Structure formats: C-alpha cells, structure tokens
Amino acid sequence: MEGESVSGAQLIAQALRAQNIEYMFGIVGIPVTEIAVAAQAVGIKYVGMRNEQAACYAASAVGYLTGRPGVCLVVSGPGVLHTLGGMANATINCWPLIVIGGSSDRNQETMGAFQEFPQVEAGRLYNKLSVRPSSLEVIPAVIEKAVRTSMYGRPGSCYIDIPGDFVNLQVNKSSVKYMECCLPPPISMADHSAVSKAASVIALSKQPLLIIGKGAAYSHAENNIRKLVDLCGLPFLPTPMAKGVVPDNHPNCVAAARSTALQHADVIILLGARLNWILHFGLPPRYRQDVRVIQIDICAEELGNNVRPTATLLGDLNAVTEQLLEEFNKRSWKYPSNSEWWQKLREKIKNNMERSKGLALQKSLPMNYYTVFHHIRELIPKDCILVSEGANTMDIGRTMLPNFYPRQRLDAGTFGTMGVGLGFAIAAAMVARDHTPGRRVVCIEGDSAFGFSGMEVETICRYNLPILIIVVNNNGIYTGLDANSWEEMLKFGDPATCVPPVSLLPNAHYEKIMSAFGGKGYFVKTPEELQNALRASVTDKQTPSLINVMIDPQSERKKQEFPWLTRSNL
C-alpha cells in the first residue's frame, strides 16, 4: 500500500522468510532484540542460546541437515567475535550459514561507539560473503544474495552487518527492493569423457576403494551411491560424517579395516571427500606411491589437492554418481567378491572386530570406553541422530556406534572443533521435531567437550527438547586422575603448579546440571546402572536427560584407532 512504512527489523525478518529460512539461533541485546521479535512474528522459529558460539554451531548444523542455512543473530562487537569459530567451522565443513550481527550506529563510527569493531572486515576471513547493506531499501536484495551465496557452489558461511540505527528506522515500502526466493542451487554434471575415463580406470583396478565423504551426505546422493556399490561390488569407506550414506552394516563397508584399505588400494574413488588430514593427505606411507585417484567434487579448486588425480569429475555429487551408474550399466562390470583384495579386507575386519568385542565385554570396574559404547549401541534407537565430540569419546564412538541413515552423525568435523556438541544437538532436535517427529537425538560427549557449552542444557530444557546427553567421564582430557590420586596430587601444593594440564575434577556430577533445569540426571558407575539409565531415558520421549558415565580415568583407545589424531597434532 502506497505510503505504508516498514522498519529495518521487519524488513530483515520478511526478507529471511521470503528465502524460506525456518530457524534462527542467537542471543539478543542492543541493537538486535527487535529483529528476533520480528522474526517470530513472520513465523521463523527463534531459539535463544546461552553463548554465541553455540548459537552459531546450531545454525550451521541446520544448514547441513536441511540444505538451507540457519541464521545466527548476535549483538555487536564481542557478540560477533564470539561467532567467528562457528563461521569458520561452517565454511571449512562446507555448510551453509547466515550470521547477522548488529553494529554501531553509522553516525558514531570512528568515535569509539559502544562495541564498535570492524566487523565486516573481520568477517571476510571466515565467510564467502561479508557485507553491510548501504540502505534499508536494499536489505532484501542483500539477504537474497547471502542466502544464495551460502548454498551455491561449495556451501559456506555468509555475514550480514546491520548498523544499530537501521533496526528501528522506517522506510516507505514502495521504495524497497523486494526479492523472490532464490532458485535452488544449479546442478552441474561432469564431462562425459571424464566419466568414461573414470569408469575404465575403476574397471581395470585390482584393489579398488570407494571413499564416501560428507559432501555425498550433503548432496543427498545416498540412493545413487548405494546402487553404485551394489552394482559394482566395490568396497567402501565412509569418512566420519558420511557414516550412514550407505548403512554401516552393509557387507561392502570396510571401516573396520580402514588402515589396510587405504594403504593397499590401487584405485581410490573420492565421492565428496577431501584429501586433507582426515585422509592423511593421500600420501605415503598411508597410501601406495602409485595409487590412482578419481576425484568427484563440486569445487574445481579442490581437484588435484595433494595428489595428482587420474580423473577429475567436476559437478554435483548426486548427478555425477548417476552418470557413473549409467556408464557401468552399459559395461556390466562387477568387481569379483572372491578376490584376494576382498579376502585381505575381510580378514582384517574380522580381527579388528574381535579385538573391539574383547574390550567391550571386559567386566572390570571402572568401565572402559568399549564397554560403555557396547551398551549404548544395544539400547539407543537405530534411527537416532548421533552427535559426538571429545577426543577418545568421539573416535571410539565412531567405530563402535553404527549409522544406518545419512546425515545422522554430527561431530567435530573437518575443523576438529570441540564445543560443537550441544549446539548441534539443539539444531538436530529442532529439525527432527518439525520434519521427522519422534526421531531422537543422542549427544555423546567427553567430559572436557561437555564443558565448552554445558550451560546449553538450560536451553534444551527451556525448549523442552527430549535430547539424551551421555557424558563419558574420565576426569580429564585424554586421561584423568582418580579421586585418590587427585587428593595425593594436591598435597604437593597449588593445583595450578602441580596438577597435570589434562586433568579435570574427579567424579564431577555433570548430571546435576540437567536436574537443576528440570531434566533427568543419572550418575552411573556400572554396566547395570548404565543399562537402567539408558532404558529410562529412551523410554521417556518427552524429557531431556543426562547420563554421567564414570569410566576408568586411564582408559584409552586401542592403538591405531584413529591414527592421525595423536596428542602432538590435536
């Protein structure tokens, strides 16, 4: 209507809604409170968090789970700075994210305004786009560009800076440049000759290996990848967050023979996985000197990193996998299941699984990691979303807890970020509540990892999210001290000078944080207590719960569990 005005806060909210944004996480204050109120008024769900970093992690997880960015809304200065970890984590994980930060009023710039900071410049290092709208009129266009940029090509984070005086400023609706929702990301396909070459190299391989990355999970390529695995009979290895793209219990999964598979494969097909630290850079001695790599990625700049590829297939993972399927349908080639390579892999899988099973069935107290994960595996729902972080907790959990569905494992990721767990769990629970009602979120934390964002337990209880948190508590980072050793240590003097840097307080009752806010807390020391707490928590589908599991402070993973994660490079 001619002459009708709208505020900056309303414009931002309406523009986000026009781009089909569903979720906003943040901490309000000057100058952004009105933006959160306006967002709720247009139907966006706002989750108020207790720390900006956790809010940013939550918003980024929404991007991974739904393919559309979540929004993180924060105040100026320190508020924006606290999101830098989340921005970097999203961009390095290739997840879409929008961060909206308030900033100083324009007429106070350079004057030492409240929380004044060069936020746009600071954001450039962590984001695909870091921008401040020049006027209220262009806010919808800037938001459309940010949402589009976050999803197109290789996904990542985008930052939008909002001057404080924009929030309540009014503008005539007729002068605003309103935008429609951006189109879905375009789907590109690989060059046909590259597909043909890749198929020929695979067909000539003696010891092939398919490596599935989280790019495959993000692109929803699970159906085509499973068809490719079944059609060609290829052994496959998922990277940690790609677990479940093809179910972990598929007979072709060689995760339990990871080191052997990588070291001896003569042809490796990378499906949305990068040859970074997680895959030992593709270099000897972890790989053969003459290994041939077929690389499938959406990002041209990724092709050829660390190892010169034999074939490069640039394009959307799902579309390119379908191209490979069509090629193999013409060729009717299948890798023989009775090959020496399969025999070698199956023998290694059997040996490693027996070793893990032996550790899991140990009866000694305190429990070890393997015993704890054995009982968790037996009692949690098979279709739950697993969030996992910690050092040993995450690494051993990755091997012991199977995933049967895609995009249902969230962990420290490519950036190895600690502190993501509760933010990820909150995001997953919000998305599950709306899109897959009844699906549980199980968040398994080391005691050190839980400490980064433990106060988000209050957020979980406030929004009544029935998340099950399991803290695997060894009184420290990697290893800790038992209560007696701790007491002896304190006799030597000031804890700051004599307590090992990896130690945390023994027998800390983290479960009381949950009961303090109305959830259910359990403190367990034996397998029977753990089983009872798990059964009670899984049965109660309404109440958040936290099980604090005491384990042997000296319990560690078996050797070579996650060989690149050594103390020297964590």
Side-chain angles (χ1 to χ4, degrees), residues 519-561:
K520 292 183 178 173
Y522 303 88
F523 183 78
V524 307
K525 289 184 170 182
T526 68
E528 294 72 29
E529 290 171 351
L530 175 57
Q531 289 172 318
N532 290 338
L534 283 166
R535 287 192 186 101
S537 301
V538 169
T539 304
D540 186 345
K541 296 178 170 60
Q542 309 300 320
T543 314
S545 54
L546 190 155
I547 304 174
N548 184 13
V549 188
M550 301 309 302
I551 66 164
D552 182 352
Q554 297 300 310
S555 178
E556 293 194 76
R557 54 179 172 258
K558 67 179 192 279
K559 286 180 183 175
Q560 293 295 305
E561 190 64 57

Side-chain angles (χ1 to χ4, degrees), residues 371-447:
T371 305
V372 170
F373 282 119
H374 168 74
H375 293 296
I376 293 172
R377 182 178 64 204
E378 296 301 306
L379 291 169
I380 60 172
K382 296 289 182 279
D383 68 342
C384 70
I385 299 172
L386 277 173
V387 181
S388 181
E389 66 169 334
N392 298 336
T393 298
M394 182 174 70
D395 304 337
I396 299 170
R398 175 188 60 86
T399 64
M400 291 286 292
L401 299 175
N403 286 84
F404 304 104
Y405 304 96
R407 296 168 298 281
Q408 290 189 200
R409 177 183 165 86
L410 295 161
D411 65 22
T414 309
F415 209 26
T417 309
M418 288 298 124
V420 295
L422 271 66
F424 282 2
I426 289 166
M430 291 294 295
V431 171
R433 178 182 279 177
D434 292 340
H435 298 277
T436 51
R439 180 166 294 160
R440 297 298 297 273
V441 176
V442 178
C443 181
I444 304 174
E445 303 270 303
D447 49 332

Side-chain angles (χ1 to χ4, degrees), residues 487-494 497-498:
E487 291 301 324
E488 287 299 313
M489 193 74 69
L490 294 184
K491 291 176 183 175
F492 291 104
D494 185 347
T497 58
C498 63

Side-chain angles (χ1 to χ4, degrees), residues 287-307:
Y287 292 76
R288 287 168 53 146
Q289 187 77 46
D290 62 349
V291 66
R292 305 183 83 190
V293 173
I294 295 163
Q295 208 168 356
I296 306 172
D297 207 281
I298 199 166
C299 177
E301 289 84 352
E302 187 61 42
L303 302 172
N305 276 348
N306 298 323
V307 174

Side-chain angles (χ1 to χ4, degrees), residues 7-28:
S7 72
Q10 290 169 315
L11 266 179
I12 292 164
Q14 290 164 7
L16 290 170
R17 198 73 195 109
Q19 299 305 318
N20 289 335
I21 298 298
E22 290 185 81
Y23 304 98
M24 180 182 282
F25 303 83
I27 299 179
V28 295

Side-chain angles (χ1 to χ4, degrees), residues 197 200-202 204-205 209 265-269 288-294 307-311:
K197 181 179 181 181
S200 297
V201 171
I202 295 166
L204 291 170
S205 65
L209 178 65
D266 66 345
V267 171
I268 285 176
I269 307 101
R288 287 168 53 146
Q289 187 77 46
D290 62 349
V291 66
R292 305 183 83 190
V293 173
I294 295 163
V307 174
R308 184 182 177 88
T310 301

Side-chain angles (χ1 to χ4, degrees), residues 212-222 225 242 245 271-273 317-318 407:
I212 304 170
K214 69 175 174 293
Y218 181 80
S219 68
H220 288 246
E222 53 268 14
I225 292 175
V245 169
L271 288 173
L317 212 293
N318 191 35
R407 296 168 298 281

